[in-house]
């Protein structure tokens, strides 16, 4: 199938301005860095929801378009360091692109997105018949699962030591400091090898002749001793400089890793956090990066120094006496075999320890923020038991690993001791035959002490290396996770005047795993209109709000703001125009003013006070000990529910949003507090596109329209009076709430009558029978 060339606009770089249709959505982009002749040439592939666009760079400055249909496939292969993508229609290849393997991960992302687009039509029929499939990789999702086992969950494969090489991405900015540290390490290692070599002349030319009564030269002795002292001082100075420099670099690498991981976490969509435990994520960002830092600053350095020491010592031993050197190296193959054997057990064991420790942290992360609930229900013993069980599991896993490690370390020591004994025996035999001198044997023994000491140290580093590899795998599990709400490749700019707030939902569908939550939803909200969402729990109201906020992306259809698909806008640019007031407002630890100004950190005190006044929060704030500078506890626990809600409303007012989301904003407060919050909301909704969710239908009477949802679909739209007159879903909800309110009033009257009966003195038995 021939492609359709689209000439790029001449006024801009064509690679930055692909010829997209107004409602065409970019799903993935790929950098092609090799031409058809395998020369370096920058090109580009862009996948949209309709076609694949190709740009050949300076050699072929034309955009070529390949419309997609269900019979097409994109095939990937690599050979000799060169990757190839082939676009195939049936059995005919219609296009081919080459790239270097540094873009291999990007190619996999493009392939998954391509498969999703091409198979959408056929997959919808399969979903209806046999359950859902993953929207990313199209692998089947089990009926009882809510996420793809391939994409949403992390890999359970054992960590490989090679994962530590991926840390070079964070070490690259410090490569010159690392090179200097390596040179310092090389110099300090060489300096430590000088003293054993000087023992040869000290023994053969000084001590033995002096013992036999020969005269020795004192200046020569002082020269040798000065050499020993100078080598020791030089090794100390170079070792200190090396350790200090690499410790600074490793701390910065760990800090960059920690920051990058946290920033990547912030960019992931909400569904990722829904499947993760807070304590586990905290352990990864905190303790795992600390473990990697210790490995880089101490153990990686020691390992490199040990390798250098072994190589340089082996070279010196071979130069002094080859046969004696071969006897010295005899235990080396056995130790290497043991290290290889134990490494596999340590590799899986340390990952199990990390997962179990994450469970311990999870108990803390659950219990400490919820301590009020724990104490209210007297469940201290239960939570202590949970922690004890998690801690015991952690202990059991560590015990199993320590059993292996406790056998490995003494065995290595035994082999080195046997090797030293063999060298003693072989050396004495060589001295008796006159093959070597006592000085050479002494130097050999000194070198062997260093050699076997470093060999034993290397065997111990195996444990630390596997710990770091397990930690690095858990960190990269986060960094490799791609958000299901991606940023657009070529985002459209917002209008200079900002958003008007008109929202249009066209055939919106959303699926979470195998559950279809919203289906075929069409709705249009005019700018400045207030719309109330009503329906039973689970009807899809909150999910629709999450889609409007783009916490999730629709799986079918589109949501547009002012005629622009949300997926064409930068996420942060769009969300700056959204104000969100939740049923349970979240306040951060800090002052009242800092919480109000959270969405606008540079707000002045006058703006903060004005927002608080409009939210009817100014009066109670002034009654606090330090007014706006009063500290609120973690999650605002030092304030009442109504006070937290009004601060949340002030926070939304301060950013002056064009779109306002009210999710059960008054459902968790008493009647008087609800009136205060309602007056604040009246100020908040004025002139904004407002979507309000409320179970108390009476709070939505001021809405311009009410949208009634049931099982993910819109079943009624109209005003309060119109929907009551229609006597449909809304009328049944209204009647049910009215009957519930009447029952609660009757129960309250009965309760009051009982209280009055108990409060009025009753006649005694004697008074009751008196005439």
């Amino acid at each position: 199938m021939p492609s359709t060339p689209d000439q790029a606009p001449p006024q801009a770089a064509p690679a930055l301005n692909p010829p997209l249709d107004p409602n065409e959505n970019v799903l993935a982009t790929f950098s092609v860095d090799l031409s058809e002749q395998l020369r370096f040439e920058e090109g580009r592939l862009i996948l949209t929801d309709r076609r694949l666009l190709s740009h050949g760079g300076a050699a072929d400055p034309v955009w070529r378009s390949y419309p997609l249909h269900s019979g097409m496939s994109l095939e990937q292969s690599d050979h000799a360091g060169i990757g190839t993508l082939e676009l195939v229609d049936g059995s005919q290849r219609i296009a081919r692109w080459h790239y270097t393997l540094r873009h291999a991960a990007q190619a996999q992302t493009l392939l998954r997105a391509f498969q999703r687009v091409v198979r959408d039509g056929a997959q919808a029929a399969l979903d209806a018949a046999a359950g859902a499939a993953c929207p990313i990789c199209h692998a089947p999702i089990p009926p009882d699962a809510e996420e793809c086992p391939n994409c949403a969950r992390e890999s359970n494969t054992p960590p490989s030591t090679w994962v530590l090489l991926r840390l070079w991405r964070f070490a690259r900015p410090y490569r010159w400091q690392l090179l200097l540290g390596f040179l310092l390490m090389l110099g300090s290692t060489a300096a430590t090898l000088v003293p054993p070599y000087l023992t040869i002349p000290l023994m053969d030319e000084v001590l033995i002749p002096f013992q036999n009564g020969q005269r020795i030269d004192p200046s020569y002795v002082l020269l040798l001793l000065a050499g020993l002292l100078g080598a020791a001082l030089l090794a100390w100075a170079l070792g200190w400089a090396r350790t200090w420099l690499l410790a600074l670099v490793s701390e910065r690498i760990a800090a960059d890793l920690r920051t990058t991981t946290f920033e990547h976490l912030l960019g992931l969509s909400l569904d990722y956090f829904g499947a993760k435990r807070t304590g586990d994520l905290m352990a990864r960002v905190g303790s795992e990066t600390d473990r990697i830092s210790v490995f880089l600053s101490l153990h990686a350095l020691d390992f490199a120094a040990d390798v250098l020491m072994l190589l340089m010592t082996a070279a010196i031993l071979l130069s002094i006496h080859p046969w004696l050197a071969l006897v010295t190296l005899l235990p080396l193959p056995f130790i290497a075999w043991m290290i290889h054997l134990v490494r596999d057990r340590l590799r899986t064991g340390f990952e199990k320890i990390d997962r179990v420790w994450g469970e311990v942290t999870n108990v803390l992360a659950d219990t400490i923020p919820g301590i009020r609930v724990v104490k209210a229900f007297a469940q201290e013993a239960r939570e202590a038991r949970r922690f004890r069980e998690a801690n015991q599991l952690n202990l059991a896993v560590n015990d199993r690993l320590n059993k292996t490690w406790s056998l490995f370390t003494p065995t290595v020591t035994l082999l080195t001791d046997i090797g030293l004994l063999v060298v003693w025996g072989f050396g004495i035999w060589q001295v008796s035959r006159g093959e070597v001198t006592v000085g050479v044997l002494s130097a050999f023994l000194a070198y062997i002490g260093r050699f076997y000491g470093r060999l034993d140290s290397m065997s111990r580093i195996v444990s630390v290396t596997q710990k770091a590899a397990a930690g690095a795998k858990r960190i990269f599990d986060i960094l490799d996770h791609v958000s299901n709400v991606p940023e657009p490749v070529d985002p459209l700019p917002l209008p200079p005047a900002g958003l008007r707030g008109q929202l249009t939902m066209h055939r919106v569908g959303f699926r979470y795993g195998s559950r279809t939550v919203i289906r075929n939803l069409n709705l249009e909200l005019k700018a400045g209109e207030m719309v109330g969402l009503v329906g039973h729990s689970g009807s899809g109201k909150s999910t629709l709000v999450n889609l409007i906020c783009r916490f999730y992306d629709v799986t079918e259809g589109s949501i547009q703001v002012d005629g622009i698909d949300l997926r064409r806008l930068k996420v942060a640019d769009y969300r700056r125009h959204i104000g969100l007031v939740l049923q349970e407002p979240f306040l951060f630890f800090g002052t009242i003013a800092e919480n109000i100004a959270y969405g606008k950190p540079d707000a002045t005190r006058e703006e903060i006070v004005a927002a608080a006044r409009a939210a009817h929060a100014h009066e109670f704030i002034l009654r606090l000990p330090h007014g706006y500078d009063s500290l609120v506890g973690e999650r605002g626990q030092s304030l009442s529910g109504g006070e937290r809600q009004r601060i949340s409303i002030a926070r939304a007012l301060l950013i002056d949003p064009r779109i306002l989301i009210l999710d059960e904003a008054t459902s968790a407060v008493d009647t008087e507090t609800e009136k205060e919050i309602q007056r604040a909301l009246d100020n908040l909704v004025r002139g904004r596109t407002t979507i309000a969710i409320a179970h108390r239908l009476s709070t939505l009477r001021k809405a311009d329209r009410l949208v009634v949802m049931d099982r993910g679909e819109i079943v009624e739209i109209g005003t309060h009076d119109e929907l009551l007159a229609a006597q449909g879903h809304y009328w049944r909800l209204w009647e049910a709430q009215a009957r519930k309110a009447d029952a609660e009033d009757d129960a309250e009257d009965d309760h009051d009558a009982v209280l009055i009966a108990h409060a009025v003195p009753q006649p005694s038995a004697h008074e009751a029978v008196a005439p």
Side-chain angles (χ1 to χ4, degrees):
M1 182 180 65
S3 64
T4 304
D6 292 319
Q7 190 66 37
Q11 69 274 15
L16 298 178
N17 293 277
L20 299 175
D21 295 337
N23 293 321
E24 191 172 8
N25 299 315
V26 175
L27 303 178
T29 183
F30 179 67
S31 299
V32 180
D33 54 359
L34 293 175
S35 67
E36 184 68 25
Q37 293 76 30
L38 301 183
R39 295 174 180 164
F40 285 104
E41 184 70 47
E42 292 297 329
R44 200 173 188 191
L45 288 179
I46 291 180
L47 177 70
T48 74
D49 51 2
R50 305 176 186 177
R51 53 185 174 158
L52 186 66
L53 293 167
S54 169
H55 188 273
D60 186 17
V62 173
W63 281 103
R64 301 190 179 275
S65 175
Y66 303 92
L68 303 180
H69 58 82
S70 59
M72 300 179 72
S73 64
L74 189 62
E75 300 175 359
Q76 184 265 347
S77 62
D78 60 80
H79 178 69
I82 296 175
T84 302
L85 287 174
E86 292 185 339
L87 184 62
V88 178
D89 187 4
S91 59
Q92 178 185 4
R93 185 183 74 198
I94 56 178
R96 180 173 62 181
W97 302 274
H98 301 291
Y99 60 93
T100 58
L101 292 187
R102 67 191 182 100
H103 296 301
Q106 196 181 14
Q108 291 298 321
T109 302
L110 178 69
L111 282 170
R112 289 194 296 264
F114 182 92
Q115 292 168 0
R116 180 179 62 182
V117 174
V118 170
R119 299 179 187 176
D120 256 352
Q123 194 63 36
L126 291 175
D127 288 350
C134 174
I136 298 176
C137 69
H138 274 276
I141 300 177
D144 57 344
E146 294 190 350
E147 56 185 348
C148 174
N150 296 332
C151 301
R153 296 193 181 275
E154 294 162 0
S155 172
N156 289 323
T157 57
S160 169
T161 311
W162 296 107
V163 73
L164 293 173
L165 296 179
R166 297 185 63 184
L167 295 174
W168 174 248
R169 162 186 167 187
F170 300 94
R172 185 179 177 84
Y174 309 99
R175 56 188 179 277
W176 299 116
Q177 293 93 323
L178 291 172
L179 177 61
L180 178 58
F182 177 78
L183 295 176
L184 290 171
M185 181 178 61
L186 189 65
S188 64
T189 303
T192 57
L193 294 175
V194 172
Y197 199 84
L198 293 179
T199 60
I200 298 177
L202 275 173
M203 293 291 296
D204 291 342
E205 301 176 22
V206 176
L207 292 178
I208 295 178
F210 181 75
Q211 189 178 24
N212 294 331
Q214 298 181 17
R215 182 180 177 83
I216 60 174
D217 184 4
S219 60
Y220 183 61
V221 174
L222 290 176
L223 180 63
L224 292 176
L225 294 178
L228 290 173
L229 178 62
L233 291 175
L234 181 62
W236 171 82
L238 294 177
W240 170 82
R242 171 203 68 184
T243 304
W244 177 78
L245 176 64
L246 293 180
L248 292 180
V249 172
S250 66
E251 287 294 339
R252 281 153 180 78
I253 293 174
D256 293 344
L257 177 63
R258 195 177 297 118
T259 301
T260 301
T261 304
F262 182 67
E263 290 176 349
H264 187 78
L265 269 176
L266 294 178
L268 294 178
S269 52
L270 287 183
D271 61 341
Y272 178 82
F273 296 94
K276 297 293 178 291
R277 300 289 297 272
T278 302
D280 180 62
L281 294 178
M282 290 171 60
R284 297 193 198 197
V285 178
S287 59
E288 302 295 359
T289 51
D290 286 341
R291 180 184 294 176
I292 292 171
S293 174
V294 171
F295 169 76
L296 293 175
S297 61
L298 298 177
H299 304 293
L301 174 67
D302 291 342
F303 181 79
D306 291 341
V307 171
L308 281 175
M309 177 67 81
L310 290 177
L311 294 177
M312 297 170 72
T313 304
I316 293 174
L317 292 177
L318 288 170
S319 67
I320 295 176
H321 197 285
W323 286 107
L324 199 56
L326 291 176
V327 172
T328 302
L329 302 176
L330 192 62
L332 194 59
F334 298 99
I335 295 175
W337 175 76
M338 283 194 63
I339 290 175
H340 174 74
L341 186 67
V342 170
R343 184 187 61 184
D344 293 336
R345 298 184 181 180
L346 294 178
R347 186 167 51 195
T348 56
F350 282 123
E351 192 187 18
K352 289 180 181 177
I353 289 175
D354 288 339
R355 288 201 299 266
V356 172
W357 181 250
E359 288 300 317
V360 175
T361 314
N362 285 331
V363 176
L364 293 174
D366 288 343
T367 305
I368 294 176
I371 191 65
R372 178 175 295 182
V373 178
V374 173
K375 290 184 174 295
F377 288 91
Q379 293 299 309
E380 293 91 342
R382 176 188 176 187
E383 295 302 328
R385 184 171 64 253
R386 283 182 62 206
F387 186 83
R388 192 182 305 111
E389 290 172 355
N391 207 20
Q392 284 298 121
L393 182 59
N394 176 60
L395 186 63
V397 174
N398 276 278
D399 285 345
R400 286 197 296 269
L401 192 65
N402 288 332
K403 184 184 297 184
T404 301
W405 183 246
S406 61
L407 178 64
F408 170 71
T409 305
T411 305
V412 172
T413 304
L414 176 64
L415 288 175
T416 56
D417 290 342
I418 292 174
L420 185 62
L421 182 63
V422 171
V423 172
W424 266 108
F426 187 75
I428 292 172
W429 180 63
Q430 290 284 312
V431 170
S432 66
R433 296 182 57 191
E435 297 289 337
V436 296
T437 64
V438 175
V440 171
L441 181 59
S442 299
F444 249 88
L445 293 173
Y447 278 121
I448 287 170
R450 284 170 166 75
F451 185 86
Y452 284 155
R454 292 305 178 101
L455 199 60
D456 186 62
S457 174
M458 283 183 65
S459 67
R460 297 175 190 275
I461 289 176
V462 173
S463 168
V464 181
T465 303
Q466 297 310 313
K467 283 183 180 179
K473 176 184 178 294
R474 283 163 57 80
I475 290 291
F476 283 110
D477 280 341
I478 295 176
L479 294 177
D480 292 340
H481 195 95
V482 180
S483 174
N484 290 338
V485 183
E487 291 282 358
V489 177
D490 295 299
L492 295 178
L494 291 176
L499 295 178
R500 293 183 293 108
Q502 179 180 347
L503 290 169
T504 304
M505 282 146 268
H506 177 65
R507 302 190 66 181
V508 169
F510 179 73
R511 213 171 41 236
Y512 187 76
S514 60
R515 290 189 296 123
T516 299
V517 183
I518 291 180
R519 56 176 65 84
N520 197 29
L521 187 145
N522 295 280
L523 180 64
E524 183 171 351
L525 280 69
K526 299 176 183 176
E529 183 182 21
M530 180 178 180
V531 171
L533 291 181
V534 298
H536 292 290
S537 295
S539 59
K541 304 185 300 296
S542 295
T543 300
L544 180 59
V545 165
N546 287 332
L547 294 174
I548 292 173
C549 294
R550 213 190 165 203
F551 294 148
Y552 304 97
D553 267 345
V554 297
T555 52
E556 297 173 8
S558 65
I559 299 179
Q560 299 178 354
V561 57
D562 295 347
I564 305 173
D565 195 304
L566 298 186
R567 292 167 292 191
R568 298 296 304 279
L569 298 172
K570 291 182 92 172
V571 176
D573 290 348
Y574 169 64
R575 287 184 185 158
R576 287 193 187 99
H577 294 274
I578 295 179
L580 191 60
V581 180
L582 301 173
Q583 178 180 1
E584 287 294 333
F586 187 96
L587 299 185
F588 296 91
F589 185 87
T591 66
I592 297 286
E594 289 170 345
N595 273 280
I596 293 176
Y598 184 78
K600 189 179 179 182
D602 56 347
T604 64
R605 181 53 63 96
E606 290 75 15
E607 292 175 319
I608 293 173
V609 172
R613 285 183 183 275
H616 291 261
H618 181 68
E619 291 76 13
F620 85 79
I621 292 175
L622 292 182
R623 291 195 296 269
L624 296 173
H626 302 287
Y628 283 86
D629 295 322
S630 298
L631 284 173
V632 298
E634 188 175 4
R635 304 189 182 185
Q637 293 298 326
S638 61
L639 302 175
S640 69
E643 290 169 343
R644 292 198 301 270
Q645 191 63 281
R646 278 175 278 176
I647 290 177
S648 175
I649 293 171
R651 183 166 58 192
L653 271 168
L654 186 61
I655 65 173
D656 191 21
R658 300 308 309 152
I659 300 171
L660 179 64
I661 308 292
L662 304 176
D663 192 352
E664 301 286 354
T666 62
S667 64
V669 295
D670 57 81
T671 306
E672 287 300 320
T673 305
E674 180 184 355
K675 292 179 181 178
E676 286 290 326
I677 294 175
Q678 198 61 51
R679 283 195 290 269
L681 290 177
D682 290 342
N683 293 331
L684 182 58
V685 302
R686 192 174 296 120
R688 312 176 201 281
T689 305
T690 304
I691 303 170
I693 300 175
H695 282 298
R696 297 181 187 174
L697 302 182
S698 58
T699 62
L700 297 177
R701 285 185 172 183
K702 296 180 181 180
D704 299 312
R705 284 188 298 163
L706 297 176
V707 176
V708 185
M709 296 187 65
D710 184 47
R711 299 182 182 179
E713 296 180 318
I714 295 177
V715 292
E716 287 182 325
I717 298 179
T719 64
H720 170 75
D721 294 335
E722 291 172 349
L723 294 178
L724 284 182
Q727 294 191 357
H729 282 76
Y730 182 77
W731 177 80
R732 286 192 290 272
L733 289 172
W734 180 268
E735 288 295 315
Q737 286 199 4
R739 287 193 297 270
K740 182 180 178 182
D742 292 340
E744 289 176 350
D745 290 340
D746 292 342
E748 185 176 351
D749 292 340
D750 293 341
H751 179 69
D752 292 341
V754 171
L755 291 178
I756 293 172
H758 282 287
V760 176
Q762 300 297 316
S764 65
H766 176 71
E767 294 170 336
V769 298

